[in-house]
Amino acid sequence: MTLIDLANPTRFLALTARLLPWLAAATIILLAIGLYQSATAPDDYQQGATVKIMFIHVPNAWLSMFVWGVMSIASLGTLVWRHPLADVAAKAAAPIGASFTFLALLTGSLWGRPMWGTYWEWDARLTSVLILFLMYLGLMALWRAVDDPSRAARAAAVLTLVGALNLPIIKFSVDWWNTLHQPASVMRMGGSSLDRSFLIPLLVMAIAFTLLFVTLHLAAMRNEILRRRVRSLQMMQASRVAFSEVGTGSREGSTSKEVGAA
Amino acid sequence: MQLSGHGVTCVRGGREVFAGLDFGAGSGEAVAVVGRNGSGKTSLLRLIAGLLIPAGGTIALHGGDAELTLPEQCHYLGHRDALKPALSVAENLTFWADFLGGERFDAGESLATVGLDHAADLPAAFLSAGQRRRLSLARLLTVRRPVWLLDEPTTALDVAGQDMFSGLMREHLARGGLIVAATHAPLGIDSRELRIGGAV
Amino acid sequence: MTALSALIRRDIRIALRVGGGALIGVLFFLTVVVLMPFAVGPDLALLSRLGPAILWLGALLASLLTLDRLFMADHEDGSLDLITMSRTPLELACAAKALAHWLAAGLPLIVATPVLGLLLNLDMVATGAVALTLLAGTPALTFTGMIGAALAVTLHRGGLLMAVLVLPLSIPVLIFGVAASQAAIVGPMTFGAPFSILCALSLVSLVIGPFAAAASLKHGLD
């Protein structure tokens, strides 16, 4: 199955209709396993039971960046390869990415409450995620601001790619800004020094969340394709002439214009 | 009912567009304002609608509703359609019906008359220029007002649309209304010509 | 009354639909507030001291910058002509449009305040005080801002010119808004005095705004 085969929306809809139940089932099973393992994982000797927020927080944070990556590839698809489904993929991913980013912020701040004593600390990590969240919201606002999706697609694609290039710079600046003002942040997570009893549930959760994203994304893409079909049907309906009661003669003049636009 | 203007002078941007213009129209009468581009056809309509203030002269409607001012008894159909693309066709029409007030007729029927009943629930953004014009016409049918001020009303309308519109104007005149239309194209109804700004 | 409620409902509907700008104001508010710590540093004690001022500045900019299209859109599509000609006095129509704008763009700012208070380390009392002063003060911003929006139509210039015209007019609101929130948080003044003045400013602008805007629109007819 190549990308070209998927270019046809009808084929995409048929394929995803068959794929989605399996994906959903796999997501549920993995999530159940991951949650069970997380619940039974030992408490941290410093942080106690609060460490379990990590099993939700880290996958969300990972996906907040992963989704932007997916959108960037989709944007390349829009701008370079002109893949017909690319902007559908980019548009459908934005709200999902924003939700994961929001959950990362929420769980981060809930985790911060016992650690820092406040819900929010201008910690370099959290701050970067907050900026990412703002960029997601801006992107969604851009999609919403323009009525015609194909016109919004190019603008959104450019913004997504610029964002992707800027994200490392923003991350670096925030790190620099943060260390300028305060020494090391309270919370440190050495990735590799993590104990196996934490690592395995975390990996399972990360895969489960990624599957969750893929499932939601495909479903959202289906919705977007159907929404666009409704839109063009509506435009065709608008240009249809229901004019039998009044007047006679030809009315092709007013109808021919819009079929092209649809 | 008699609409009359005496010695109406219009100055725009320091330039005198026309001066000392006399005109009149009675119930059931249509006046076609003709003249070359820039002769002040649109300005005359906007003066009657109260959207411009005359530099001299008076415009008055005698025998109308004494409680209302002249602009409140006018329908002004300008170049711009006063439609919001984000609202549906029906929402656009009912908004104007609610906002303009007065005697009100069924919005759905007006839409059917102008041939847009199939599009009532669609966003106005999907309409073509001609359909937008038809929707504006539906406004004139839903809220009844005696004076119609029409600025190039037939632009963007196809042949069938122009026929339909001529029919609507005839009905309006038969009800005792009066029409002042600025136009280059023939209106398709019996009308008196008011030439402004010299020869074409 | 039907005419005015129809106008309010239409404007809110447009603001909330695709292409409407209601939620962009909140996003702008959020962004401005998030930018502040990068300028003043992440020190939570400092941020909580500056918090009310930051929130007020953000709300001020957000509510004014969304205003410049208030009459411009209606002017461009010809709706303003029909509104001017209608039986509804133009002053009341202006007031209705401003009210609709405040409901669609001003109220969400107040709803967003608690979240932003969290980012700036404001406690419950401080956040409540800021939200309350914004509730009392943002109508003043909208109703003075509408004068600028009407001038923007008259002069065929929008955007920054409008901001330059209107921002000085909003200084009193800013002064008493921030003063009232600070009074509630640290004292030593009583909350009542500046808050009453803030409410008075809102009430005065509720009257002056529509008249000035309508006069400007009528004068600028062409």
Side-chain angles (χ1 to χ4, degrees):
Chain A
M1 188 61 60
T2 61
L3 275 174
I4 300 300
D5 291 326
L6 285 176
N8 181 335
T10 311
R11 211 172 289 171
F12 176 85
L13 286 179
L15 180 77
T16 48
R18 267 183 293 142
L19 209 58
L20 269 174
W22 295 100
L23 273 170
T27 308
I28 291 168
I29 293 168
L30 264 181
L31 259 183
I33 296 173
L35 282 173
Y36 175 76
Q37 284 186 335
S38 319
T40 51
D43 288 353
D44 185 71
Y45 73 99
Q46 268 183 326
Q47 302 187 9
T50 52
V51 76
K52 293 202 167 115
I53 298 178
M54 179 182 77
F55 296 118
I56 305 285
H57 173 73
V58 173
N60 276 314
W62 141 247
L63 273 170
S64 68
M65 287 176 285
F66 177 75
V67 175
W68 198 282
V70 170
M71 287 195 315
S72 304
I73 295 168
S75 303
L76 279 179
T78 304
L79 292 175
V80 183
W81 305 310
R82 319 243 161 156
H83 193 280
L85 283 178
D87 62 314
V88 174
K91 186 177 183 185
I96 306 175
S99 311
F100 281 124
T101 316
F102 177 73
L103 285 177
L105 283 171
L106 190 74
T107 49
S109 106
L110 287 177
W111 198 0
R113 178 69 185 162
M115 297 294 107
W116 300 317
T118 59
Y119 282 108
W120 186 262
E121 176 82 36
W122 290 86
D123 164 78
R125 259 172 219 274
L126 274 178
T127 308
S128 300
V129 178
L130 179 61
I131 297 170
L132 185 63
F133 181 57
L134 288 179
M135 288 172 64
Y136 271 116
L137 291 185
L139 199 59
M140 284 164 66
L142 176 62
W143 278 112
R144 260 188 69 88
V146 185
D147 187 40
D148 177 9
S150 54
R151 225 154 39 86
R154 315 208 124 244
V158 172
L159 186 71
T160 310
L161 288 176
V162 170
L165 292 178
N166 253 316
L167 278 173
I169 303 177
I170 292 173
K171 180 84 176 73
F172 166 78
S173 329
V174 169
D175 280 341
W176 186 82
W177 164 78
N178 197 260
T179 43
L180 181 76
H181 289 286
Q182 64 180 43
S185 73
V186 185
M187 184 172 52
R188 285 231 167 259
M189 282 194 345
S192 56
S193 67
L194 213 60
D195 189 80
R196 273 180 64 87
S197 55
F198 290 125
L199 197 59
I200 291 172
L202 191 57
L203 274 176
V204 175
M205 286 298 274
I207 296 170
F209 268 76
T210 312
L211 269 180
L212 176 66
F213 163 70
V214 173
T215 311
L216 291 175
H217 190 209
L218 289 179
M221 278 176 74
R222 287 173 60 85
N223 284 346
E224 179 63 23
I225 292 172
L226 294 175
R227 206 176 290 131
R228 287 184 187 191
R229 289 199 172 166
V230 168
R231 192 183 135 84
S232 29
L233 283 176
Q234 281 185 329
M235 289 178 82
M236 274 158 69
Q237 195 194 345
S239 59
R240 206 191 78 213
V241 177
F243 212 79
S244 43
E245 315 91 301
V246 187
T248 48
S250 96
R251 302 125 194 169
E252 270 119 42
S254 72
T255 58
S256 58
K257 265 177 261 169
E258 272 153 343
V259 179
Chain B
M1 214 167 5
Q2 176 74 23
L3 175 72
S4 54
H6 294 293
V8 179
T9 302
C10 174
V11 177
R12 299 198 62 184
R15 184 176 72 92
E16 194 180 82
V17 184
F18 53 76
L21 185 72
D22 293 320
F23 61 88
S27 284
E29 232 182 333
V31 175
V33 185
V34 292
R36 60 187 158 70
N37 289 333
S39 58
K41 297 190 294 292
T42 299
S43 296
L44 177 61
L45 294 186
R46 294 183 71 85
L47 282 169
I48 300 172
L51 296 168
L52 282 178
I53 293 138
T58 53
I59 303 172
L61 182 71
H62 300 287
D65 191 332
E67 305 259 303
L68 300 174
T69 63
L70 170 58
E72 287 166 4
Q73 299 177 68
C74 294
H75 262 311
Y76 176 66
L77 190 66
H79 295 292
R80 295 167 298 184
D81 296 304
L83 300 176
K84 296 292 178 190
L87 299 182
S88 76
V89 167
E91 281 171 338
N92 266 302
L93 185 58
T94 43
F95 162 69
W96 283 119
D98 288 340
F99 185 77
L100 295 173
E103 196 186 359
R104 183 173 166 175
F105 290 80
D106 185 60
E109 235 168 72
S110 318
L111 283 179
T113 310
V114 298
L116 280 177
D117 49 342
H118 66 294
D121 297 324
L122 302 179
F126 292 168
L127 298 186
S128 69
Q131 288 176 318
R132 293 171 65 86
R133 190 33 62 115
R134 285 165 188 258
L135 180 48
S136 308
L137 292 176
R139 188 181 78 227
L140 311 197
L141 304 180
T142 311
V143 178
R144 293 268 165 87
R145 296 203 167 170
V147 183
W148 284 7
L149 306 171
L150 311 171
D151 198 351
E152 300 289 354
T154 51
T155 42
L157 286 182
D158 53 14
V159 177
Q162 289 180 12
D163 289 348
M164 176 267 295
F165 181 46
S166 306
L168 295 180
M169 286 195 290
R170 270 188 224 109
E171 278 172 33
H172 177 65
L173 295 177
R175 275 196 303 267
L178 55 93
I179 293 174
V180 182
T183 179
H184 289 291
L187 280 174
I189 52 167
D190 295 331
S191 60
R192 211 145 45 77
E193 207 169 88
L194 174 69
R195 188 166 295 278
I196 56 174
V200 177
Chain C
M1 244 12 239
T2 17
L4 292 180
S5 69
L7 187 58
I8 293 171
R9 267 183 287 126
R10 175 190 79 149
D11 275 20
I12 292 178
R13 234 181 237 164
I14 293 171
L16 296 180
R17 294 228 172 131
V18 171
L23 297 175
I24 297 196
V26 184
L27 189 52
F28 179 84
F29 185 32
L30 187 63
T31 313
V32 168
V33 170
V34 168
L35 278 185
M36 290 295 177
F38 295 113
V40 302
D43 179 8
L44 282 183
L46 181 65
L47 281 177
S48 68
R49 205 158 61 244
L50 294 177
I54 294 174
L55 287 175
W56 255 94
L57 263 182
L60 175 79
L61 293 176
S63 59
L64 289 186
L65 289 181
T66 50
L67 256 180
D68 75 326
R69 300 279 305 158
L70 183 64
F71 296 113
M72 199 66 103
D74 277 345
H75 175 67
E76 280 163 5
D77 67 15
S79 300
L80 196 58
D81 288 343
L82 301 190
I83 292 173
T84 313
M85 285 170 65
S86 78
R87 294 172 196 181
T88 314
L90 189 56
E91 290 79 7
L92 285 180
C94 287
K97 280 191 73 69
L99 179 64
H101 182 272
W102 183 76
L103 288 174
L107 217 48
L109 298 182
I110 295 156
V111 175
T113 307
V115 179
L116 296 174
L118 212 64
L119 293 180
L120 296 172
N121 196 33
L122 293 181
D123 55 30
M124 290 285 278
V125 178
T127 308
V130 174
L132 190 62
T133 52
L134 281 178
L135 185 66
T138 42
L141 296 178
T142 306
F143 277 79
T144 13
M146 75 190 280
I147 304 173
L151 285 173
V153 169
T154 315
L155 305 170
H156 303 287
R157 299 269 184 286
L160 280 180
L161 176 68
M162 198 209 95
V164 171
L165 296 175
V166 170
L167 280 175
L169 298 178
S170 57
I171 289 172
V173 182
L174 185 63
I175 290 177
F176 290 102
V178 176
S181 356
Q182 292 287 16
I185 301 163
V186 284
M189 263 189 305
T190 55
F191 176 70
F195 188 72
S196 313
I197 298 178
L198 187 66
C199 293
L201 285 173
S202 270
L203 289 177
V204 169
S205 69
L206 239 52
V207 179
I208 293 179
F211 277 96
S216 153
L217 288 176
K218 271 183 198 150
H219 188 73
L221 287 176
D222 71 334

